[in-house]
Amino acid sequence: MLALGSSKLAIIGLGYVGLPLAVEFGKKIETIGFDISKARVEELKQGKDSTLEIDPEDLNSSKKLSFTCDIQEIKSCNVYIVTVPTPIDDYRNPDLKPLRSASKMLGQVVSKGDVVIYESTVYPGCTEEACLPIIEEVSGLTYNQDFYAGYSPERINPGDKEHRVNNIVKVTSGSTPEITDFVDELYRQVVTVGTHKASSIKVAEAAKVIENTQRDVNIALVNELALIFNRLNIDTEEVLLAAGSKWNFLPFRPGLVGGHCISVDPYYLTHKAQEIGYHPEVILSGRRINDNMGAYVADSVIKLMTQKKIHVVDSKILIMGLTFKENCPDLRNTRVVDIIEELNKYHASIDIYDPWADNEEAVHEYGISLIESPNQNDYDAVILCVGHKKFIEMGAEQIRNLGKDNSVLYDVKYALPKDKVDGRL
């Protein structure tokens, strides 16, 4: 049985999840961070993190951490933690290609007695049904006889400097009772607030996938409420604040639901549910509502412009914010693009301004170019899509001044006073 004191870790994937984990483990245990991107590895070797999750001093504080994109350099490890993305495809089905590729690669390096731990969000059963058989096939080793597995779902919140790897309770699990104890003890080396030991890998997988499904359904409810209240000419936030005076009312707000988790994870669960013959009505209904909010925002802005007799065709519209959440450069699955796509149907001229986003990434991912800064009195409509601190600090008056005298100011994020905007969710 592998002893904790003899552990040498390899973290597979150095994105928003893998890098913070590698940095924490690298303070205690010999750790190698592996990524297939040479550019990513090189920037980390230079003490830079383009995701802005880790400061240079934090990178330097992990004295036992090194980085590589050479598979041969991780063969000496005996614990492998997989933190690769688990996106959905164009048909909203789970895209397991990154996970399968990582598993195939691990099959080339895993030895007898090694432990493979997955952190990537998946549907219940995926680790043992889709991933471990690949390792068995490539390595020639037998699961739970020659090598072992664990699952400890990631709980990283990009851009959140308060909730970090070390102070978020970690769910742990293993393929045998002994491996469960080992995985739990391993994570307790870096998670100071403790862990929650699940009885099986499937339970841990299910726990992760419902965390964000629950949030998605709750946000869908308040989004639907916003659609109803706007038709009744009632301010949604006023209603929510009034209802929130009761102690057990949950403080959700309407908005765009994007990113790599909340808008993706439910499809992993519904995929598995449908596979076993159950059609999940509530979850998919919530997804449909949330997926349509970008089009609703664009339609609302068009109506406000029409009311002000602003000709929409050839108008100039400013989108403030492109990232999927505030104070974070993460563009993955941002739903701001839905607003942009809808407005493009009206042949408007659209500028996108986001001081957090990387222009090269925006062009690569969405074919969108960012402007360096907006001009004063230049726009027929301004849409505040992301609540970046910089935007909030500008205040309603300064943002309003970006528009022409008769322009529309629409607030998606409830970031500005109600009486200073023309519309909001």
Side-chain angles (χ1 to χ4, degrees):
M1 176 61 63
L2 184 64
L4 189 62
S6 61
S7 299
K8 182 178 180 180
L9 274 59
I11 309 295
I12 311 301
L14 297 173
Y16 285 89
V17 174
L19 181 61
L21 189 68
V23 167
E24 288 303 315
F25 272 123
K27 297 173 183 178
K28 302 286 185 69
I29 302 170
E30 188 174 356
T31 303
I32 301 176
F34 176 89
D35 201 285
I36 59 174
S37 169
K38 292 182 179 180
R40 176 64 168 161
V41 169
E42 284 305 312
E43 76 167 16
L44 293 174
K45 284 183 176 180
Q46 296 170 16
K48 302 174 183 177
D49 171 28
S50 57
T51 69
L52 305 180
E53 287 298 300
I54 304 297
D55 296 328
E57 53 268 28
D58 288 330
L59 272 177
N60 294 329
S61 68
S62 295
K63 303 301 181 183
K64 297 183 178 182
L65 174 62
S66 60
F67 301 105
T68 186
C69 54
D70 184 353
I71 187 175
Q72 299 300 320
E73 293 188 20
I74 63 173
K75 279 190 172 183
S76 60
C77 297
N78 48 27
V79 178
Y80 299 89
I81 302 179
V82 181
T83 63
V84 298
T86 44
I88 53 175
D89 62 21
D90 292 339
Y91 302 99
R92 294 170 179 165
N93 294 315
D95 180 0
L96 298 180
K97 288 194 292 290
L99 210 52
R100 290 192 172 111
S101 295
S103 299
K104 185 177 181 179
M105 185 196 73
L106 286 174
Q108 302 173 47
V109 297
V110 168
S111 302
K112 284 191 174 183
D114 290 354
V115 177
V116 179
I117 304 168
Y118 288 86
E119 288 212 1
S120 305
T121 303
V122 292
Y123 53 79
C126 182
T127 298
E128 292 171 296
E129 296 167 8
C131 301
L132 298 178
I134 295 175
I135 297 179
E136 285 186 305
E137 181 182 357
V138 176
S139 68
L141 301 176
T142 301
Y143 168 52
N144 265 352
Q145 179 178 314
D146 299 319
F147 76 98
Y148 304 89
Y151 184 81
S152 182
E154 60 89 2
R155 282 179 164 171
I156 296 296
N157 186 25
D160 188 340
K161 300 303 181 181
E162 179 182 351
H163 300 99
R164 312 297 290 172
V165 170
N166 66 310
N167 63 11
I168 301 174
V169 174
K170 201 82 162 70
V171 174
T172 61
S173 66
S175 55
T176 70
E178 294 78 16
I179 294 301
T180 298
D181 290 340
F182 170 79
V183 172
D184 192 70
E185 188 179 352
L186 176 69
Y187 279 101
R188 281 180 176 271
Q189 300 299 302
V190 295
V191 181
T192 58
V193 294
T195 57
H196 179 96
K197 198 186 299 185
S199 63
S200 69
I201 288 176
K202 276 188 178 181
V203 168
E205 290 169 324
K208 170 57 183 176
V209 81
I210 71 165
E211 287 177 13
N212 289 317
T213 300
Q214 182 190 63
R215 285 184 56 78
D216 192 46
V217 170
N218 276 288
I219 296 171
L221 171 61
V222 294
N223 273 337
E224 187 165 53
L225 292 176
L227 300 180
I228 295 170
F229 295 145
N230 284 346
R231 284 166 171 78
L232 293 172
N233 199 29
I234 301 172
D235 184 76
T236 302
E237 188 181 38
E238 285 190 33
V239 176
L240 294 175
L241 289 173
S245 62
K246 188 180 181 186
W247 74 91
N248 59 353
F249 187 83
L250 301 177
F252 287 93
R253 289 293 183 272
L256 305 175
V257 184
H260 65 296
C261 288
I262 299 179
S263 61
V264 172
D265 296 355
Y267 288 120
Y268 275 76
L269 183 57
T270 57
H271 165 82
K272 189 62 177 180
Q274 291 169 327
E275 190 178 79
I276 60 174
Y278 179 78
H279 182 73
E281 296 183 21
V282 172
I283 298 171
L284 287 176
S285 175
R287 278 280 76 236
R288 285 191 294 272
I289 291 170
N290 288 341
D291 280 344
N292 288 326
M293 291 309 292
Y296 174 77
V297 168
D299 184 60
S300 298
V301 172
I302 296 300
K303 287 180 179 178
L304 288 169
M305 292 174 70
T306 302
Q307 290 169 8
K308 289 195 171 190
K309 296 182 170 53
I310 300 172
H311 195 52
V312 179
V313 176
D314 295 328
S315 63
K316 194 167 185 181
I317 300 174
L318 175 66
I319 301 289
M320 297 186 68
L322 181 63
T323 60
F324 92 88
K325 65 179 294 188
E326 65 276 1
N327 307 320
C328 173
D330 196 346
L331 290 174
R332 289 175 296 174
N333 200 34
T334 174
R335 298 319 334 142
V336 177
V337 296
D338 297 339
I339 300 175
I340 297 169
E341 289 173 1
E342 196 68 22
L343 292 174
N344 279 331
K345 296 176 183 178
Y346 293 87
H347 302 286
S349 174
I350 303 172
D351 283 351
I352 300 101
Y353 172 56
D354 193 325
W356 277 90
D358 179 73
N359 184 66
E360 186 176 331
E361 184 181 357
V363 172
H364 179 266
E365 293 296 325
Y366 303 107
I368 291 173
S369 294
L370 306 175
I371 63 170
E372 291 189 7
S373 62
N375 296 321
Q376 296 285 312
N377 307 118
D378 199 27
Y379 299 97
D380 297 292
V382 178
I383 310 175
L384 180 60
C385 296
V386 185
H388 291 318
K389 182 181 178 182
K390 180 174 181 178
F391 293 164
I392 295 174
E393 289 176 345
M394 287 174 66
E397 184 176 349
Q398 190 174 343
I399 294 175
R400 172 72 76 178
N401 287 338
L402 297 173
K404 300 174 183 176
D405 290 341
N406 191 40
S407 63
V408 167
L409 175 56
Y410 193 92
D411 182 9
V412 176
K413 296 297 294 182
Y414 292 84
L416 305 175
K418 173 189 172 183
D419 60 347
K420 301 295 183 182
V421 301
D422 298 294
R424 56 181 183 172
L425 281 176

